[in-house]
């Protein structure tokens, strides 16, 4: 199952909560699923958002899903770098890098 999660707001307390709720609804995920978090509409991220990304990463690992971040803007990338979380995520430039078949888009 190929899933694109696209937060519709910054990953603050509310945006982070919405993202985590969407992921909980995906569980249990079939093995070898691929999840992409498309951050195209996320301009900033705070500790709630970073915590949510780590929770998604833990869930992905637990269910053996591949997890990628897409469209990471400079301010978000900076927060990932200063917290050293950029090493924990695979950042991609396009969906074609990971998907060769259909996707399911989930707005959150």
């Amino acid at each position: 199952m190929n899933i694109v999660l696209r937060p519709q707001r910054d990953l603050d307390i509310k945006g982070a909560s919405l993202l985590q709720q969407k992921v909980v609804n995906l569980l249990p995920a079939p093995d070898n699923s691929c999840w992409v978090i498309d951050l195209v509409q996320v301009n900033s991220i705070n500790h709630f958002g970073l915590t949510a990304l780590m929770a998604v990463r833990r869930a992905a690992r637990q269910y053996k899903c591949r997890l990628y971040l897409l469209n990471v803007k400079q301010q978000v990338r900076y927060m990932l770098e200063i917290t050293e979380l950029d090493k924990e995520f695979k950042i991609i430039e396009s969906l074609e890098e990971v998907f060769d078949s259909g996707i399911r888009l989930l707005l959150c």
Side-chain angles (χ1 to χ4, degrees):
M1 176 169 41
N2 296 326
I3 301 289
V4 175
L5 297 149
R6 184 175 291 153
Q8 298 297 290
R9 54 179 296 140
D10 292 340
L11 289 179
D12 53 14
I13 190 168
K14 188 170 183 178
S17 177
L18 291 170
L19 175 61
Q20 285 184 285
Q21 287 172 7
K22 285 291 184 183
V23 169
V24 166
N25 292 336
L26 292 174
L27 302 176
D31 283 356
N32 298 317
S33 290
C34 184
W35 296 349
V36 173
I37 301 176
D38 184 355
L39 300 173
V40 69
Q41 295 191 28
V42 176
N43 294 311
S44 67
I45 187 170
N46 64 16
H47 68 281
F48 294 108
L50 294 171
T51 301
L53 288 179
M54 293 305 294
V56 172
R57 186 180 68 88
R58 278 191 301 278
R61 282 189 177 169
Q62 179 181 352
Y63 290 96
K64 297 179 178 70
C65 298
R66 293 172 288 142
L67 176 65
Y68 303 92
L69 300 181
L70 174 67
N71 293 317
V72 181
K73 293 183 180 166
Q74 188 58 42
Q75 186 170 348
V76 174
R77 189 178 298 262
Y78 176 72
M79 288 298 292
L80 291 170
E81 287 172 359
I82 65 171
T83 57
E84 297 188 358
L85 293 179
D86 59 319
K87 298 175 178 84
E88 301 293 326
F89 294 95
K90 171 86 170 136
I91 298 174
I92 58 173
E93 300 301 320
S94 72
L95 287 176
E96 290 77 26
E97 290 182 49
V98 292
F99 292 150
D100 56 2
S101 60
I103 63 168
R104 181 173 163 203
L105 175 63
L106 298 175
L107 303 178
C108 48

